[in-house]
Amino acid sequence: MKLLLKIMYNGRDFMGYQYQPDVRTVQGSLTSAVSSCFGRDMKITGCSRTDAGVHALGFCCTAEPAGEHPDDWLRIPVGKVHRALSRFLPEDIAVAGECEVPDDFHPRYSVVSKEYIYRMYDTVAADPFLTGRAWHLKHPVTEEGLCRMNEAASCLIGYRDFTSFMASGSKIEDARRTVESLSVVREGRELMLRVRADGFLYNMVRIITGTLADCARGTMDPGDMVRILEKRDRCAAGKTAPADGLYLNDVTYDREISWKLD
Amino acid sequence: MKLLLKIMYNGRDFMGYQYQPDVRTVQGSLTSAVSSCFGRDMKITGCSRTDAGVHALGFCCTAEPAGEHPDDWLRIPVGKVHRALSRFLPEDIAVAGECEVPDDFHPRYSVVSKEYIYRMYDTVAADPFLTGRAWHLKHPVTEEGLCRMNEAASCLIGYRDFTSFMASGSKIEDARRTVESLSVVREGRELMLRVRADGFLYNMVRIITGTLADCARGTMDPGDMVRILEKRDRCAAGKTAPADGLYLNDVTYDREISWKLD
């Protein structure tokens, strides 16, 4: 069996999720903490990668001993691992759920859909408490601008070829994905973009966000979305929004996960 | 005339408000930014000092040219200074209001009362997004615990000698202050302490918070508050809560301030 962990992290001080030697990464920090906690070398496998500065509220990863090990390696009751682990985790990573999964479970291949949130705000002055956590839009978003964002968003919902919304240089051959939901809602001074899809291309949420922000400002038209999709060209879409407004919010798997946190 | 500024800052990366050579302070950063903005040496005078890690939502300070200067030194319309200044301010300081005040106005001596907020939260796991912004209480606060906090708080309201709630070693002779209001309210997983007084002693809010947290846990009794005040001894009160949950929220002056922010 493997241990499936749902984790939160503040991406500010990480050079992204994926392990790299000599730099601080989420995977590296998690691997050290989990290995110390269980007193053996552990292997951490994540549901995806996130870039430097990107945050997570519901990132999922499995933890299992590296190399040969007995099946009953997990000596801490499921639901209480987070308590043992909290002593080893840095302040910017926390466990939000835990569950036992069988060996055939793969945290990436068993994913059915993922949800990202992108936070923006549009006050005149930058907010020192939102720095690194939300994108400061220099142009206030009017009611009409918000409508334009959602009109553009609606064109991107469904099974589409998202080549235009993929970082140029990506080696992905098939850029067709199903966006299940995509909307922008005002919450006080913040604008929250929420998008769920069966898969995401590299920079896809950030390019969608940048394009919708252009629609809000009026420098792009919601009516152009279909044409942008058809062009299958990154240059057709808007700019890439900064990394630090992006949060991996939720991962849905091909089976029910009974998260525990005692 | 002087320029009165209301500023917000995230205290995380500052060694407190007050200027010190060779370290990053709010006053130092503000002085540099304001001097660059006006193209001359400027003098910044704050409403109080805050410790390393303490935040502000409504800190007030005056800005005026250092040394001899003509009375019409301010060439930017009041209400628009924040726009000019924003190009020079670091990401963790922002202007939230501005106003012209006469030369006899003093940002500290003209204060009538100040309000601080102290943020706590009591989820089992530490929250990576609240690190440095709120105090993580390791013991969940029950409804009854919250009542005990407010019962204890009510004993501290009024004109009292707060020697027991002042950092030991303080040189203040008269520790009598008037606490106008003091309460703790639950807001979701957070507990918000809000206190307004005509003046605060060194560490006063943090010692009050630590003492109320002890009351919530049950290691101290609200009925002891009167005795603690009477002892006039720092050792009688509870522990000092950490700096990073504390926010200077509002400053009230002896005259109406017409904040502008165009």
Side-chain angles (χ1 to χ4, degrees), chain B residues 19-236:
Chain B
Y19 175 79
Q20 299 171 62
D22 306 323
V23 295
R24 191 167 186 264
T25 63
V26 177
Q27 190 179 23
S29 299
L30 264 176
T31 305
S32 302
V34 172
S35 299
S36 300
C37 179
F38 290 102
R40 65 197 312 164
D41 282 347
M42 297 286 289
K43 183 182 156 197
I44 299 289
T45 311
C47 62
S48 64
R49 300 173 189 174
T50 58
D51 282 341
V54 174
H55 312 288
L57 299 167
F59 188 94
C60 292
C61 61
T62 51
E64 63 196 305
E68 290 290 310
H69 61 272
D71 200 51
D72 63 342
W73 63 272
L74 182 58
R75 305 289 170 84
I76 303 169
V78 176
K80 292 205 182 336
V81 175
H82 70 108
R83 293 183 185 266
L85 201 47
S86 69
R87 277 179 294 150
F88 300 98
L89 284 172
E91 282 188 325
D92 42 7
I93 303 180
V95 176
E98 52 192 85
C99 178
E100 203 178 306
V101 288
D103 281 323
D104 72 333
F105 180 92
H106 193 283
R108 187 158 75 249
Y109 306 136
S110 305
V111 170
V112 169
S113 70
K114 285 186 294 200
E115 184 185 73
Y116 282 91
I117 283 174
Y118 196 102
R119 292 173 68 186
M120 297 161 266
Y121 71 108
D122 65 344
T123 49
V124 171
D127 182 331
F129 295 97
L130 289 177
T131 300
R133 300 187 173 198
W135 183 23
H136 183 212
L137 303 174
K138 299 296 185 320
H139 297 261
V141 175
T142 60
E143 262 306 305
E144 199 194 323
L146 183 59
C147 287
R148 277 199 300 271
M149 289 178 104
N150 279 302
E151 192 188 331
S154 68
C155 302
L156 303 179
I157 296 170
Y159 180 63
R160 303 270 186 273
D161 185 320
F162 286 99
T163 304
S164 298
F165 294 89
M166 173 172 75
S168 50
S170 294
K171 296 278 187 299
I172 300 291
E173 300 238 322
D174 184 357
R176 286 170 297 183
R177 297 290 184 275
T178 300
V179 169
E180 295 170 26
S181 56
L182 171 60
S183 62
V184 186
V185 171
R186 180 174 283 283
E187 295 184 4
R189 58 193 182 156
E190 282 196 44
L191 293 149
M192 292 281 251
L193 180 146
R194 201 175 274 268
V195 57
R196 181 176 283 277
D198 61 351
F200 289 90
L201 304 163
Y202 189 51
N203 277 358
M204 181 167 152
V205 183
R206 291 167 57 189
I207 299 170
I208 289 176
T209 304
T211 305
L212 297 194
D214 285 343
C215 291
R217 274 183 73 174
T219 55
M220 205 169 253
D221 195 84
D224 292 341
M225 288 304 120
V226 175
R227 191 185 48 77
I228 292 170
L229 283 167
E230 283 169 357
K231 276 210 171 171
R232 306 184 67 233
D233 174 7
R234 169 68 189 89
C235 298

Side-chain angles (χ1 to χ4, degrees), chain A residues 136-158:
Chain A
H136 183 212
L137 302 174
K138 299 295 185 318
H139 297 261
V141 176
T142 60
E143 261 306 304
E144 199 194 324
L146 183 59
C147 286
R148 276 200 301 270
M149 289 179 104
N150 280 301
E151 191 187 332
S154 69
C155 302
L156 303 178
I157 296 171

Side-chain angles (χ1 to χ4, degrees), chain A residues 14-229:
Chain A
F14 290 108
M15 287 297 291
Y17 171 77
Q18 196 179 29
Y19 175 79
Q20 299 172 62
D22 306 323
V23 295
R24 192 168 185 262
T25 63
V26 177
Q27 190 179 22
S29 298
L30 264 178
T31 304
S32 301
V34 173
S35 298
S36 299
C37 180
F38 289 103
R40 65 198 311 164
D41 282 350
M42 298 286 290
K43 183 182 156 195
I44 300 288
T45 311
C47 63
S48 64
R49 299 173 190 174
T50 58
D51 281 342
V54 174
H55 311 289
L57 299 167
F59 188 94
C60 292
C61 61
T62 50
E64 64 196 304
E68 289 291 309
H69 60 274
D71 200 51
D72 63 342
W73 63 272
L74 183 57
R75 303 292 169 84
I76 303 169
V78 175
K80 292 203 184 330
V81 175
H82 70 109
R83 292 183 186 266
L85 201 49
S86 69
R87 278 178 294 150
F88 301 98
L89 284 172
E91 283 187 325
D92 42 6
I93 304 181
V95 176
E98 49 191 87
C99 179
E100 204 179 304
V101 287
D103 281 323
D104 72 333
F105 181 92
H106 192 285
R108 187 159 74 249
Y109 305 136
S110 305
V111 170
V112 169
S113 70
K114 285 186 295 199
E115 185 184 73
Y116 282 92
I117 283 173
Y118 196 101
R119 292 173 67 185
M120 296 160 267
Y121 72 109
D122 65 345
T123 50
V124 172
D127 182 332
F129 296 97
L130 288 178
T131 301
R133 300 188 173 197
W135 182 23
H136 183 212
L137 302 174
K138 299 295 185 318
H139 297 261
V141 176
T142 60
E143 261 306 304
E144 199 194 324
L146 183 59
C147 286
R148 276 200 301 270
M149 289 179 104
N150 280 301
E151 191 187 332
S154 69
C155 302
L156 303 178
I157 296 171
Y159 180 65
R160 303 270 187 273
D161 185 320
F162 286 98
T163 304
S164 298
F165 294 88
M166 174 172 75
S168 50
S170 295
K171 297 276 187 299
I172 301 290
E173 301 239 322
D174 183 358
R176 287 171 296 182
R177 297 289 184 276
T178 300
V179 169
E180 296 171 25
S181 56
L182 171 59
S183 62
V184 186
V185 171
R186 182 174 282 283
E187 297 185 3
R189 59 193 182 157
E190 283 195 44
L191 294 150
M192 292 280 251
L193 179 146
R194 202 175 273 268
V195 57
R196 182 175 283 276
D198 61 351
F200 290 90
L201 305 163
Y202 190 51
N203 278 357
M204 180 167 152
V205 183
R206 291 167 56 190
I207 299 169
I208 288 176
T209 304
T211 305
L212 297 195
D214 284 343
C215 290
R217 273 183 73 176
T219 54
M220 206 168 254
D221 195 83
D224 292 341
M225 288 304 120
V226 175
R227 191 185 48 77
I228 291 171
L229 283 167

